[in-house]
Amino acid sequence: MTRLLGIETSCDETAAAIVSDGARIESNVIASQTDLHARYGGVMPEQASRAHLRAIQPVVEQALTDARVDWSDIDAIAVTHGPGLAGALLVGVNVAKGIAFALSKPLLGINHLEGHVYANWLTPGEPRFPLVALIVSGGHSDLVLADGHGAYQRLGRTRDDAAGEAFDKVARLLGLGFPGGPLIEREAANGDPARFALPRAWLDGESFDFSFSGLKTAVRNQVAALGVDPDTASPKERRERLPVADLAASFQQAVVDVLSAKIVRAAETYGAINVALAGGVAANRTLLRTVEDRAQRPILCPPPRLCTDNAAMIAAAAYFRYTAGQRNDLSLDVEPGLPIA
Ligand code: KG4
Ligand code: ZN
């Protein structure tokens, strides 16, 4: 059995997990900074680094305690080294290096986006290649073809806002809190998705790229047309005076239409056996249900708590790299702009 410790600090969750053989979660500890950043309506990078510093040691210790294992039971240390916030990544990478050095254990640097895809290995049934994955989070919207472990080709990406970023910005326009995705989803459940005709950015016919900033602007214009100042209105005023549920449902439907159409077309074009959803926005059940309806093949999607940032997914991705022989030395550095392919 191979038992890996995963560490994740790329954004606003301090996380550590122990996973055996890339599939079985022995522990999965997440210290969220959501409350800290909610005050500002978004992630504040310096505050995130400081919060990671405070949380990292107890979180790692908790991961060992929950798994009932000792340091000597760990085969290697895997850590997210990009993409993400530089100062946040630095905390995890340096802690991982320190542990690897002190214990003379192998160190592996893992791509955060690859980690999101490998959350799908933590659920029953092993994913099969070729696989088309949609990685939709607060910082990314990537459509990826995977022909095997570590063999990726990026088919499309966002040209402006990430899907999760659009959810967060629209939530703010509607006077909802942060992070916006789950709040929009909750409001949308009681709304009419056809009430407001919002634009879908298909881009040029063959493109697998995305664009969400026009949609965000359309919601903003709709808010103004409904008589609420999109710049100055208080959150309370927005919630009271806007048809929040219908706006949320119409916005969510526009995002889901584009994401689901492009992932289904990519799966057909590349003959994918599996379609996998990944990243925080994959926690959206309307997205999952729509892709399930439209794609005629098995859809993989982790449970919501494994869609958003966690370290189990990092340890899962690391397992395949560990068995393939990847080892990083202490010169491993953060790569804030690291792409998946
Ligand atoms: O993957 P993640 O936890 O962090 C990043 O790597 O960015 O994704 C966070 C993003 C946020 O923008 C959040 O609003 C969005 O995922 N999100 C959702 C839902 N849950 C989280 N978006 C739509 N529907 C959800 N249920
Ligand atoms: Zn993420």
Side-chain angles (χ1 to χ4, degrees):
M1 195 210 351
T2 302
R3 184 182 275 128
L4 301 189
L5 167 66
I7 295 177
E8 153 67 41
T9 64
S10 68
C11 190
D12 60 343
E13 328 280 352
T14 314
I18 291 174
V19 173
S20 47
D21 295 334
R24 203 166 62 80
I25 299 176
E26 296 192 42
S27 66
N28 188 20
V29 181
I30 304 170
S32 176
Q33 307 172 7
T34 303
D35 295 345
L36 173 68
H37 302 295
R39 270 180 270 158
Y40 308 97
V43 177
M44 307 299 283
E46 283 80 18
Q47 305 235 19
S49 307
R50 262 177 271 145
H52 283 307
L53 261 183
R54 281 193 296 272
I56 187 76
Q57 196 179 333
V59 164
V60 169
E61 280 169 4
Q62 193 64 46
L64 285 145
T65 307
D66 288 359
R68 298 166 201 267
V69 299
D70 194 55
W71 285 113
S72 58
D73 301 318
I74 306 290
D75 292 298
I77 325 296
V79 63
T80 304
H81 70 124
L85 302 169
L89 289 163
L90 269 170
V91 175
V93 166
N94 283 303
V95 165
K97 282 194 210 176
I99 295 171
F101 180 77
L103 303 178
S104 302
K105 304 257 184 196
L107 171 73
L108 289 90
I110 299 297
N111 183 311
H112 179 78
L113 300 172
E114 182 177 53
H116 273 303
V117 175
Y118 277 82
N120 285 293
W121 267 258
L122 295 168
T123 53
E126 183 164 344
R128 293 172 62 201
F129 299 108
L131 176 151
V132 165
L134 176 70
I135 309 165
V136 271
S137 70
H140 296 271
S141 303
D142 287 332
L143 194 52
V144 171
L145 172 67
D147 282 318
H149 293 300
Y152 311 115
Q153 183 190 335
R154 187 164 74 182
L155 306 175
R157 59 176 172 90
T158 183
R159 294 184 185 175
D160 40 58
D161 293 348
E165 190 180 356
F167 271 92
D168 294 335
K169 287 178 174 170
V170 167
R172 211 173 312 156
L173 279 169
L174 303 184
L176 305 172
F178 173 85
L183 301 165
I184 296 254
E185 181 173 24
R186 201 173 66 199
E187 289 290 335
N190 304 311
D192 173 7
R195 168 134 177 227
F196 296 101
L198 297 171
R200 274 88 171 137
W202 300 111
L203 305 176
D204 36 300
E206 299 301 298
S207 176
F208 289 117
D209 282 353
F210 304 104
S211 164
F212 295 107
S213 76
L215 172 60
K216 171 197 66 192
T217 305
V219 174
R220 187 185 158 81
N221 292 343
Q222 189 61 62
V223 167
L226 289 160
V228 170
D229 188 321
D231 293 315
T232 60
S234 70
K236 184 164 176 282
E237 186 184 350
R238 292 166 198 257
R239 289 194 302 273
E240 282 170 7
R241 295 190 44 210
L242 292 170
V244 172
D246 290 345
L247 283 166
S250 302
F251 162 76
Q252 178 176 272
Q253 195 58 52
V255 175
V256 164
D257 275 350
V258 175
L259 291 178
S260 59
K262 295 212 177 198
I263 193 172
V264 169
R265 184 160 56 82
E268 282 163 3
T269 306
Y270 293 94
I273 294 179
N274 274 153
V275 167
L277 303 181
V281 180
N284 189 288
R285 298 293 100 170
T286 303
L287 174 63
L288 172 60
R289 278 196 299 271
T290 309
V291 177
E292 278 172 344
D293 283 350
R294 295 181 183 175
Q296 268 131 29
R297 41 177 66 64
I299 310 301
L300 309 169
C301 185
R305 70 187 170 82
L306 293 176
C307 285
T308 47
D309 289 350
N310 66 86
M313 69 187 197
I314 302 303
Y319 172 70
F320 297 100
R321 294 194 168 274
Y322 178 82
T323 52
Q326 177 180 325
R327 302 291 183 270
N328 292 97
D329 60 28
L330 295 179
S331 68
L332 177 71
D333 205 354
V334 300
E335 292 190 50
L338 188 66
I340 187 157

